Amino acid sequence: MNRQTLFLGITLFSMFFGAGNLIFSPYMAAQAGALTPAALLGFVITAVVLPVSAIVIIAPYGSASRMISRLWKPLGPVFLTLVYLLIGPCIAIPRTAGTSLEMWTWLIGSGWMPRILYTVVFFALASLLALHPGKLKDILGKLLGPALLVLILLLCVPVLLHPGNVAQPSAEWADQPFFTGLQEGYQTMDILAAFCFSVVILLNIRQAHLKNVKRALLFAGLTAGVLLAVVYTLLAVSALGMGMFVFYKKQDQFILYV
């Protein structure tokens, strides 16, 4: 695996690891308690293994729409339209903006004007990235992705050095932690996102002038999968009774503070 493939793997990891992904595994660990290893195993299957497998399966067809259309021609465009709506304006975009805004509340305050300005800046930067998908390898793979990994390590490693008492699992997780974690992994929506990311990764592979496209895609997918699994494990273990993540329920929503 060369440097270009490594950067592609980090790019794919950065694309999968959205704002919601930061919350799900710590919340799972806070609920599963001592049964977190079994819950984490189920979570990793649906949040890591299946999305990465989907990338590898879809990519040889050039696009998810082309692959699905082999089953029934009208199904491809209809299915992809629904996927883009779900991972776009209906669910993922508001969740991403809302989570990042919540994490910056301590700095920008709770007034409506700073929140509006933050939202405008956030979507302006996101739009600039979206307009240049072929440059994601340079932006995410070489700059933002490594910075994200460093920040996660700085957040988790000090907590791991001072472990606390592990809480008992909640009633919902006590009976079937593996299958509950398996269901929670779908919350990341990365399986749906894989239908769209495959095209972007292929575009970046071609612009990197890599000769063996399938090999590059396989190693990029494996790199992204390993990084996702490691990060989810770090976040989950750090949340096990160590006081790093605090949740409270407000109007039926769980809010995360770090």
Side-chain angles (χ1 to χ4, degrees):
M1 182 173 64
N2 55 32
R3 290 180 59 189
Q4 297 293 331
T5 308
L6 176 62
F7 291 145
L8 285 168
I10 297 175
T11 300
L12 186 57
F13 159 78
S14 303
M15 294 168 66
F16 276 131
F17 195 81
N21 304 59
L22 178 66
I23 295 175
F24 292 127
S25 59
Y27 174 68
M28 175 192 66
Q31 296 297 305
L35 299 178
T36 291
L40 185 62
L41 179 60
F43 183 87
V44 166
I45 290 175
T46 47
V48 178
V49 177
L50 291 184
V52 172
S53 299
I55 288 283
V56 176
I57 292 170
I58 294 170
Y61 293 91
S63 69
S65 179
R66 190 177 303 168
M67 183 190 74
I68 298 171
S69 295
R70 292 172 67 92
L71 300 174
W72 183 45
K73 194 169 184 179
L75 181 60
V78 172
F79 181 81
L80 262 294
T81 299
L82 293 175
V83 169
Y84 274 107
L85 287 173
L86 287 173
I87 68 170
C90 293
I91 298 178
I93 289 178
R95 185 171 74 183
T96 301
T99 304
S100 61
L101 176 62
E102 185 70 28
M103 300 297 287
W104 282 98
T105 301
W106 64 274
L107 180 63
I108 65 175
S110 58
W112 63 271
M113 182 58 74
R115 288 172 174 258
I116 290 178
L117 290 175
Y118 174 86
T119 303
V120 170
V121 172
F122 176 86
F123 283 113
L125 293 174
S127 299
L128 288 175
L129 289 175
L131 289 173
H132 303 283
K135 295 182 179 179
L136 286 180
K137 178 176 66 67
D138 297 323
I139 299 172
L140 295 180
K142 297 180 180 180
L143 181 61
L144 297 183
L148 174 63
L149 290 170
V150 169
L151 289 174
I152 291 173
L153 287 175
L154 290 176
L155 187 68
C156 294
V157 171
V159 181
L160 295 176
L161 297 177
H162 301 282
N165 296 322
V166 178
Q168 293 299 314
S170 62
E172 181 183 359
W173 292 80
D175 294 333
Q176 295 181 322
F178 173 80
F179 290 105
T180 307
L182 197 73
Q183 293 176 349
E184 288 296 311
Y186 287 111
Q187 297 275 8
T188 63
M189 299 183 69
D190 282 342
I191 296 177
L192 292 178
F195 286 91
C196 308
F197 292 168
S198 57
V199 178
V200 178
I201 289 299
L202 279 175
L203 175 63
N204 281 266
I205 288 176
R206 294 191 183 100
Q207 293 197 355
H209 304 293
L210 296 175
K211 296 180 180 179
N212 195 326
V213 175
K214 291 184 179 180
R215 178 185 173 88
L217 180 66
L218 177 61
F219 279 108
L222 290 174
T223 301
V226 169
L227 289 175
L228 284 169
V230 170
V231 167
Y232 285 139
T233 302
L234 279 175
L235 291 172
V237 173
S238 299
L240 281 177
M242 299 179 185
M244 174 181 172
F245 298 94
V246 179
F247 293 87
Y248 75 91
K249 196 172 184 181
K250 179 181 179 182
Q251 296 179 351
D252 296 327
Q253 292 182 344
F254 286 94
I255 311 299
L256 168 67
Y257 281 94
V258 179

